[in-house]
Amino acid sequence: MIYYMKICVQQRTSYFTKAGLSTLLNALNIFSAHYVSVAVDVRRVCKESCSKIAIELIQSVSIVFDPPVSQQKKQDWSFVKLFGSSLLSTCPVATTSKVFVDVSSNKSGIPFALNHKPHEIIKENFDNDSGYTEEREYGVYNLKKMFKDSKYVNIGATYENIHIYGIIPSPILYVDRKVAGYGQEQGGIHVTFHNNHRKKSLKILYYDMIPWYLRLYSHTLSIKSGRKLLTP
């Protein structure tokens, strides 16, 4: 039996106020995306050599679109195509307001042209999924400067060729989770962690949301590494 559960989405005013980047958060376009995540992170940070403690609040919205699916294998994108609207303003209380576009694939992938020239190009190094250091390039747009010359901003890119899906390497860590069996005797949740790092083990913290119809008992918990049974 497959249980049907309704999903309730509660809007938060701070995310949907009509100022700055939040003007792009059109519900019709966002919830048609392939992945949406809204997060609020709160932490303590040091100020003045840790003589004072401040509270840092970070609000973030992560959205994944797949333009080739809706545009006949073309990767062309823009604010209007993705969100259904141009950017209409910057946040009036923000010190800076910037947009970063990853332009690294212009050297190794299908070339594309940005419809606006970035104000600057920055480079950053990070460890890729294979354990090697990789350099990435980002085009940076200063929105406060752009709005001095225009009433709206529509950043986008046009690709020379259609997109061809290739072999995508597995990430360093990925998780396979499934609900298996049926009833209290045979039912359960199986979670498998795959560590693809070539050199070291990984420390992870795993949270899970348990379906309301599934009861868990701590004495049935078992952990294995390969074929070796571990004691929690």
Side-chain angles (χ1 to χ4, degrees), residues 62-213:
S62 301
I63 308 173
V64 177
F65 294 97
D66 192 1
V69 172
S70 58
Q71 298 180 169
Q72 298 180 348
K73 298 183 180 181
K74 293 184 179 180
Q75 284 184 281
D76 299 355
W77 62 269
S78 68
F79 285 165
V80 172
K81 288 183 178 180
L82 297 180
F83 301 101
S85 172
S86 299
L87 189 60
L88 304 177
S89 66
T90 60
C91 180
V93 297
T95 305
T96 61
S97 186
K98 298 180 179 180
V99 172
F100 295 79
V101 179
D102 191 339
V103 296
S104 307
S105 61
N106 252 343
K107 295 182 178 180
S108 58
I110 301 175
F112 63 87
L114 295 169
N115 61 354
H116 294 281
K117 184 179 179 181
H119 293 96
E120 62 175 322
I121 299 292
I122 62 173
K123 298 181 180 181
E124 291 187 358
N125 295 325
F126 72 100
D127 294 333
N128 60 21
D129 294 342
S130 301
Y132 297 102
T133 300
E134 183 178 347
E135 184 181 76
R136 308 292 295 185
E137 290 189 5
Y138 299 91
V140 183
Y141 293 91
N142 188 324
L143 296 180
K144 291 187 178 294
K145 289 183 178 180
M146 297 183 74
F147 275 106
K148 291 181 179 180
D149 302 322
S150 178
K151 294 183 179 180
Y152 62 89
V153 172
N154 181 32
I155 298 173
T158 303
Y159 286 75
E160 294 182 3
N161 301 312
I162 63 174
H163 179 69
I164 299 176
Y165 289 95
I167 299 176
I168 301 176
S170 299
I172 294 178
L173 173 70
Y174 72 93
V175 181
D176 178 24
R177 175 191 182 276
K178 59 177 68 72
V179 178
Y182 57 90
Q184 293 190 20
E185 183 179 356
Q186 301 294 332
I189 295 179
H190 295 175
V191 183
T192 306
F193 301 91
H194 301 268
N195 178 12
N196 293 322
H197 200 284
R198 301 175 59 189
K199 300 179 180 179
K200 63 180 181 181
S201 58
L202 301 177
K203 181 182 291 186
I204 63 174
L205 182 63
Y206 179 75
Y207 291 91
D208 203 340
M209 296 183 63
I210 308 301
W212 62 268
Y213 55 84

